[in-house]
Amino acid sequence: MEPLPFLDQFQEFHHIHGTNVQLDPTGTQATRVESFANGVCFSREPLSPGEIFLVEIEEKELGWCGHLRIGLTARDPLTFETVPEYSLPDLMDLGDSWVFAITRNHNRVVEEEAVAPEGEGAGDGGLAGAINPKPKTFFTDSHLHIEKVKIPMDKLVGRSRPGRFSHILDDLYKTNALPPTARRSRIGVLYVPKGQGLADMHVVINGEDMGASAKGIPMLQPLYAVVDVYSATKQVRIVQVEYGFSSLQTLCRKCIQKNIVHRMALDWLELPERLKHYCKYE
């Protein structure tokens, strides 16, 4: 099978979302403003095969149990009269959706040759907790390989925020894996075709593939990403991933970043706020 070609697109959240979700003007940041539920979001466009929908956890909220939930749905968000209160179980119960809860420790898929001990599971709908037998090479590889899909590794690992000495912290984030549910943790979902119109869904956490978390997903209908800003997860932001040559937009951003002392200095420039936001983040 040849590598999966598709054009890079600027990803945003769909304007259809849970009642407690507020999107920023760019459509790339989703915040749950009340309670712990009604935080279900969708990608604005269906995903292409092998295209990852990657988000970074920006804010947490103490006092709640449970964390981010992520997955895929074959249901067009425009068809919802009311967005389900929960991705698990409400959206799943409608059918044609595959959603998993991210937990602090158990997010790996049980491989056929490695079964989890009796009584140990993901809990709260999460992925199963077997140990991944594959060696950890994600700190040395430039790309994450899933089947024939190649994803640039530098975007999959969390980074520090604009500020003094942030360039020092960036190196720490690149060499130390964050807990899955921590602030700055990056979590993505994608699907990989397996033939006969079916695909496997993969969840990627901080540069590591958690395995085929759902198998035999029909590809007859477009598949949208699902991100449930649930419970202790309060705010997430989309991380844009480029697979081929950098776009003119990205090249302009890199040129601006190269000529400032640190990223906070963008606030001092006479630029539109939306452009400042784009240049601050990846």
Side-chain angles (χ1 to χ4, degrees):
M1 186 174 79
E2 294 297 323
L4 304 170
F6 51 85
L7 297 176
D8 293 328
Q9 63 176 351
F10 187 80
Q11 295 178 332
E12 299 178 38
F13 287 113
H14 205 286
H15 68 275
I16 301 295
H17 50 68
T19 56
N20 282 336
V21 171
Q22 181 177 347
L23 301 182
D24 77 330
T26 69
T28 62
Q29 184 186 72
T31 305
R32 193 188 69 256
V33 294
E34 292 181 4
S35 184
F36 64 93
N38 285 302
V40 177
C41 303
F42 307 96
S43 59
R44 187 187 65 177
E45 303 292 341
L47 299 184
S48 300
E51 179 184 15
I52 191 170
F53 193 84
L54 183 67
V55 298
E56 179 176 299
I57 298 174
E58 290 204 314
E59 295 294 339
K60 304 290 294 295
E61 186 170 22
L62 300 177
W64 302 114
C65 295
H67 303 276
L68 181 78
R69 295 165 172 182
I70 195 166
L72 299 170
T73 182
R75 293 179 172 270
D76 188 333
L78 293 174
T79 63
F80 288 110
E81 293 185 7
T82 302
V83 175
E85 184 176 7
Y86 305 99
S87 59
L88 285 169
D90 298 4
L91 180 61
M92 290 275 284
D93 287 348
L94 296 176
D96 298 325
S97 298
W98 303 264
V99 181
F100 291 90
I102 304 301
T103 67
R104 289 189 182 93
N105 301 308
H106 303 296
N107 295 289
R108 299 188 188 281
V109 175
V110 175
E111 302 290 344
E112 293 182 0
E113 66 275 12
V115 180
E118 185 177 355
E120 293 186 9
D124 194 29
L127 308 183
I131 297 176
N132 189 348
K134 296 181 180 179
K136 293 184 177 181
T137 59
F138 53 93
F139 289 143
T140 57
D141 289 348
S142 61
H143 289 75
L144 174 66
H145 297 261
I146 305 176
E147 303 288 342
K148 295 295 184 179
V149 176
K150 293 174 59 178
I151 307 172
M153 185 64 72
D154 63 338
K155 292 299 184 73
L156 300 180
V157 182
R159 299 184 57 167
S160 64
R161 277 295 159 264
R164 295 185 65 186
F165 311 116
S166 64
H167 60 290
I168 300 175
L169 295 177
D170 284 347
D171 291 333
L172 295 178
Y173 279 107
K174 289 178 181 179
T175 57
N176 291 274
L178 293 168
T181 59
R183 292 174 69 244
R184 311 304 176 220
S185 179
R186 292 188 175 183
I187 301 171
V189 64
L190 70 153
Y191 66 94
V192 179
K194 301 297 290 185
Q196 299 181 340
L198 300 176
D200 289 350
M201 183 179 82
H202 288 251
V203 172
V204 175
I205 301 178
N206 294 321
E208 291 188 82
D209 173 26
M210 298 293 108
S213 53
K215 296 184 177 182
I217 297 176
M219 297 196 308
L220 297 178
Q221 295 176 282
L223 294 172
Y224 294 81
V226 178
V227 176
D228 192 349
V229 188
Y230 174 71
S231 199
T233 303
K234 184 175 180 62
Q235 183 181 89
V236 298
R237 176 180 58 86
I238 298 173
V239 179
Q240 307 295 335
V241 178
E242 293 179 322
Y243 301 83
F245 294 105
S246 297
S247 65
L248 179 59
Q249 191 177 36
T250 297
L251 292 174
C252 290
R253 175 175 60 186
K254 289 181 177 178
C255 182
I256 294 174
Q257 292 173 336
K258 185 178 180 180
N259 288 278
I260 58 175
V261 178
H262 52 74
R263 280 174 282 174
M264 189 63 76
L266 286 163
D267 290 332
W268 308 334
L269 301 179
E270 294 183 1
L271 296 173
E273 288 301 318
R274 186 164 182 171
L275 179 57
K276 290 181 182 179
H277 183 279
Y278 180 75
C279 289
K280 281 182 182 180
Y281 304 117
E282 297 178 42

